[in-house]
């Protein structure tokens, strides 16, 4: 989450709890109990408290006076804010990454996207979706920016999981394909515009998760 190479006990606890919250295994409003988690992970309270702080930074948990730490509830305004922030920051990362995107990287991104299009469930799809975004953005070589994008992606993924818990049907991701086509032809503005709209789509659906995304941005000649 915060740092993919973090192998500390705090990092392990954070990733485990974040995965459970995002997937809905720990519902919104659930109290996160320090004692139980310290016992589960064989740790002291110190790394558990630090994990709580990281979850708060990701928007997955909230600390309430005299009530402890709870899983954050969905807030439509926050979902829209997350979508807007992701769109801006991912476009920034893509523009810095573009000069370093090789044919090999784009081929890997294409393979990841095809894996997502054939995903058997929403969890497998989200793994592929996150991997797709990360592989085309990481060459920006801006680790702080990528860490922030990871946190925002976690928050938006949780909302997607909630919409698809009882219904799932894999489909062609035309946005991802359009982004790759634009990058291969060095149409960076088109790729950036498609990426921004692709990410903002989540924030434009406050009441329901649509089963279809809008058509890709038209390519420039």
């Amino acid at each position: 989450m915060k740092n993919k190479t973090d192998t500390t006990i705090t990092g392990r606890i954070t990733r485990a709890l974040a995965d459970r919250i995002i997937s809905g295994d720990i519902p919104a409003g659930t109290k996160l109990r320090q004692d139980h988690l310290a016992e589960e992970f064989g740790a002291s309270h110190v790394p558990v408290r630090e994990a709580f702080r990281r979850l708060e930074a990701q928007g997955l948990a909230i600390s309430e006076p005299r009530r402890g730490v709870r899983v954050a509830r969905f807030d439509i305004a926050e979902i829209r804010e997350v979508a807007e922030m992701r769109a801006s920051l991912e476009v920034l990362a893509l523009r810095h990454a573009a000069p370093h995107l090789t044919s090999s990287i784009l081929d890997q991104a294409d393979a990841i996207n095809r894996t997502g299009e054939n995903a058997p469930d929403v969890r497998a799809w989200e793994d592929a979706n996150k991997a797709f975004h990360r592989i085309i953005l990481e060459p920006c070589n801006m680790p702080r920016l990528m860490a922030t994008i990871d946190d925002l992606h976690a928050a938006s993924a949780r909302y997607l999981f909630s919409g698809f818990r009882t219904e799932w049907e894999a489909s062609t991701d035309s946005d991802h394909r359009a982004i790759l086509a634009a990058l291969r032809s060095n149409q960076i503005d088109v790729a950036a515009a498609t990426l921004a709209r692709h990410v903002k789509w989540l924030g434009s659906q406050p009441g329901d998760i649509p089963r279809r995304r809008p058509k890709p941005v038209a390519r420039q000649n």
Side-chain angles (χ1 to χ4, degrees):
M1 288 297 171
K2 194 70 175 176
N3 183 343
K4 293 184 74 176
T5 62
D6 186 353
T7 57
T8 64
I9 183 62
T10 296
R12 186 161 64 89
I13 295 171
T14 303
R15 286 192 297 276
L17 293 179
D19 286 345
R20 295 175 194 177
I21 293 169
I22 291 169
S23 66
D25 291 340
I26 306 180
T30 301
K31 184 173 183 179
L32 299 176
R33 301 184 180 278
Q34 251 186 66
D35 290 345
H36 293 177
L37 292 168
E39 181 178 354
E40 176 185 347
F41 290 96
S44 69
H45 286 194
V46 174
V48 175
R49 283 196 297 269
E50 177 58 28
F52 286 173
R53 284 193 285 270
R54 294 187 185 184
L55 292 173
E56 286 186 69
Q58 294 171 4
L60 299 177
I62 184 170
S63 178
E64 301 174 323
R66 297 182 297 279
R67 296 188 65 187
V69 178
R70 295 179 180 273
V71 174
R73 298 186 183 278
F74 290 116
D75 181 284
I76 298 304
E78 183 179 351
I79 291 166
R80 287 175 171 154
E81 180 183 7
V82 166
E84 290 287 341
M85 290 176 67
R86 268 192 65 194
S88 296
L89 296 182
E90 290 198 23
V91 164
L92 174 63
L94 182 64
R95 290 192 179 279
H96 282 271
H100 310 291
L101 290 173
T102 63
S103 295
S104 176
I105 292 174
L106 296 178
D107 287 346
Q108 291 177 61
D110 185 45
I112 290 169
N113 185 54
R114 292 180 185 279
T115 297
E117 291 179 341
N118 292 285
D121 53 51
V122 67
R123 186 186 291 269
W125 173 84
E126 170 53 18
D127 286 344
N129 180 56
K130 182 175 181 179
F132 174 87
H133 282 254
R134 182 162 255 286
I135 198 171
I136 64 171
L137 300 180
E138 200 160 25
C140 72
N141 296 317
M142 302 170 76
R144 289 189 179 184
L145 176 61
M146 290 304 300
T148 302
I149 289 172
D150 281 348
D151 286 350
L152 293 170
H153 195 114
S156 58
R158 182 183 174 214
Y159 183 54
L160 285 171
F161 267 64
S162 73
F164 282 123
R165 281 184 70 81
T166 58
E167 180 181 350
W168 169 251
E169 181 180 350
S171 61
T172 299
D173 197 319
S174 56
D175 281 353
H176 284 183
R177 292 190 177 194
I179 290 167
L180 287 177
L183 290 173
R184 288 187 190 279
S185 58
N186 202 34
Q187 294 183 315
I188 308 307
D189 288 343
V190 174
T194 306
L195 176 62
R197 183 184 46 72
H198 172 73
V199 173
K200 285 182 181 179
W201 161 80
L202 177 65
S204 68
Q205 306 295 330
D208 188 24
I209 301 294
R211 295 300 181 254
R212 295 180 183 273
R213 291 191 177 95
K215 293 180 181 179
V217 173
R219 293 179 62 186
Q220 297 174 347
N221 293 324

